[in-house]
Amino acid sequence: IKYRHLIFFVQLSVTYSVFGITYSVKELQLIAVYKAYFDDSSYIKDNYQMPKETKLEFPEQKRNLIHIYLESYENTYFSKESGGYMEKNLMPDYQKLYDEGISFSDNDQMGGAYQTYGSSWSVASMVNMSMGLPLKIPMNGNSYGKSGYFLPGAVGIGDILDEEGYNQTIMFGADADFGGLTSFFNNHKDFKIYDWKHAKEIGKIPNDYKVWWGFEDKKLYEYAQEEIVRLANEDKPFNFTIENADTHFPDGYIEKDTPRPFDQQYSNVIFHSQKQVYDFVKWIQEQPFYDQTTIVLTGDHLSMDKNYFTDFDSNYHRTTTNLIINADFENKDIKTKNRSFAPFDMYPTILSSMGVRIEGNRLGLGTDLSSNDKTLIERDSLEKVEEELAKNSKFYNQEFVSERKSNK
């Protein structure tokens, strides 16, 4: 009898062990954890086109770049007739700009990029679109960069334009130290950082002024106009990058003069924000430097405002917006519809829109969308790209993250 009891307890122990392992693998996603930290995928190494080894031919008269990162801007906010999800268009003014530029879509209406691994928050989206890389770091994404280094081995648009003699400014109403942005733009390369702290230092706002993330978008666009005029008056081409913030979750920041035609605050914030963006672009187009200026507008990532999307059909494919105005693409017969692409494909595409000829049409992990060459997703499938980007990459860690690369 004692022997039978022993066998019973052994069998019970084995059963619980198997159950525990199965539960751990399923619930704790240990396989995913293993792949993220211990596996070694060569995918990034095999597909990364080194900027330093790629011939980049700038036009004789270099074009200015104004890149506007739009917080949580989705095609979802357009009307259903246009490919969005809304009964009433939340972005009618912004949509008017699409008649003046080029936008890439994953379908035959309003669409955009797939939000791939390492691109789902603001800093990560900037890394993707300006460096052609996902942001793969073993910590909370907004905690990276506190050591003063930010992907020191990577080469971004800032590095490239600095080499070409551009003046560069990055502007946002928040504190640049949040999310490691100070390190990011100091490392890549020689940007003037105009943030909430700088605005206080130069007396634009009182020392005790803080709303939302720092100062609101109304002030952001006012200061942006002044800074762009300053850059344009210098005897150099310029790169001005800006990110708004009023449309950040939860519910967005509702300014005093925000119209309220909708029941939900977030809808009203989006409606007001897109009109501000439209007015800002129209101001740029009225300036004497506009003929030699490319404007890029990109939604940074999908909105994280879960409550707003509670009743949405899960089958609707949400994508971020993208629009390039006054581009100087070499290829005039561009396939813009039914493209499968990632945020990192914007890296070479932005440079190409400035009239830069890119040898082989690839840079970083990105493919110049104006070339009609296949992107990694189009060649390998979304599932393959996502799976490989999620795996650990010794190449990525050694080539881009290692602080030994700081003197690249």
Side-chain angles (χ1 to χ4, degrees), residues 158-187:
D159 300 292
I160 293 169
L161 297 187
D162 180 67
E163 286 279 330
E164 294 291 330
Y166 278 67
N167 281 336
Q168 306 191 85
T169 294
I170 172 69
M171 178 182 284
F172 24 66
D175 185 342
D177 289 340
F178 179 78
L181 287 167
T182 298
S183 297
F184 180 23
F185 288 100
N186 279 338
N187 286 183

Side-chain angles (χ1 to χ4, degrees), residues 119-182:
S119 70
S120 60
W121 66 103
S122 296
V123 184
S125 73
M126 289 184 171
V127 169
N128 275 259
M129 292 189 229
S130 69
M131 293 184 163
L133 286 167
L135 186 52
K136 290 167 59 71
I137 45 177
M139 60 182 70
N140 177 281
N142 288 320
S143 299
Y144 183 56
K146 290 184 177 179
S147 66
Y149 295 100
F150 201 110
L151 300 184
V155 175
I157 288 177
D159 300 292
I160 293 169
L161 297 187
D162 180 67
E163 286 279 330
E164 294 291 330
Y166 278 67
N167 281 336
Q168 306 191 85
T169 294
I170 172 69
M171 178 182 284
F172 24 66
D175 185 342
D177 289 340
F178 179 78
L181 287 167
T182 298

Side-chain angles (χ1 to χ4, degrees), residues 22-42:
T22 303
Y23 175 83
S24 297
V25 169
K26 182 179 179 181
E27 298 297 325
L28 302 181
Q29 298 182 316
L30 294 184
I31 293 175
V33 171
Y34 176 83
K35 287 181 178 179
Y37 291 97
F38 303 108
D39 203 353
D40 181 29
S41 167
S42 65

Side-chain angles (χ1 to χ4, degrees), residues 226-245:
E226 296 171 355
E227 180 63 12
I228 290 173
V229 169
R230 184 193 71 79
L231 288 167
N233 287 334
E234 299 289 333
D235 191 26
K236 288 183 176 182
F238 67 84
N239 169 26
F240 179 79
T241 303
I242 184 173
E243 176 158 33
N244 64 5

Side-chain angles (χ1 to χ4, degrees), residues 70-117:
L70 300 167
E71 173 63 48
S72 305
Y73 264 50
E74 300 188 18
N75 293 294
T76 311
Y77 310 143
F78 292 118
S79 67
K80 290 182 177 179
E81 291 76 15
S82 299
Y85 194 82
M86 300 298 170
E87 294 298 332
K88 186 175 181 180
N89 192 355
L90 299 185
M91 302 199 296
D93 301 289
Y94 185 51
Q95 187 167 352
K96 293 176 187 175
L97 297 175
Y98 279 65
D99 294 333
E100 305 178 32
I102 290 176
S103 178
F104 297 94
S105 174
D106 62 311
N107 57 62
D108 58 5
Q109 292 182 296
M110 310 290 271
Y114 287 91
Q115 184 164 283
T116 46
Y117 181 90

Side-chain angles (χ1 to χ4, degrees), residues 287-354:
Q287 306 311 306
F289 55 79
Y290 174 64
D291 285 348
Q292 286 298 317
T293 301
T294 296
I295 306 173
V296 177
L297 303 104
T298 52
D300 60 351
H301 54 75
L302 297 178
S303 174
M304 301 178 193
D305 202 314
K306 293 181 180 179
N307 291 334
Y308 188 73
F309 297 91
T310 300
D311 298 327
F312 276 52
D313 183 351
S314 59
N315 292 320
Y316 175 78
H317 180 212
R318 293 165 56 195
T319 56
T320 51
T321 64
N322 70 88
L323 177 62
I324 303 177
I325 300 174
N326 202 28
D328 186 24
F329 287 120
E330 182 182 14
N331 178 21
K332 304 303 179 185
D333 185 23
I334 302 172
K335 181 184 178 184
T336 60
K337 301 295 186 182
N338 297 303
R339 300 297 306 270
S340 296
F341 62 103
F344 52 68
D345 289 309
M346 294 304 296
Y347 179 34
T349 305
I350 290 170
L351 287 170
S352 179
S353 74
M354 300 169 65

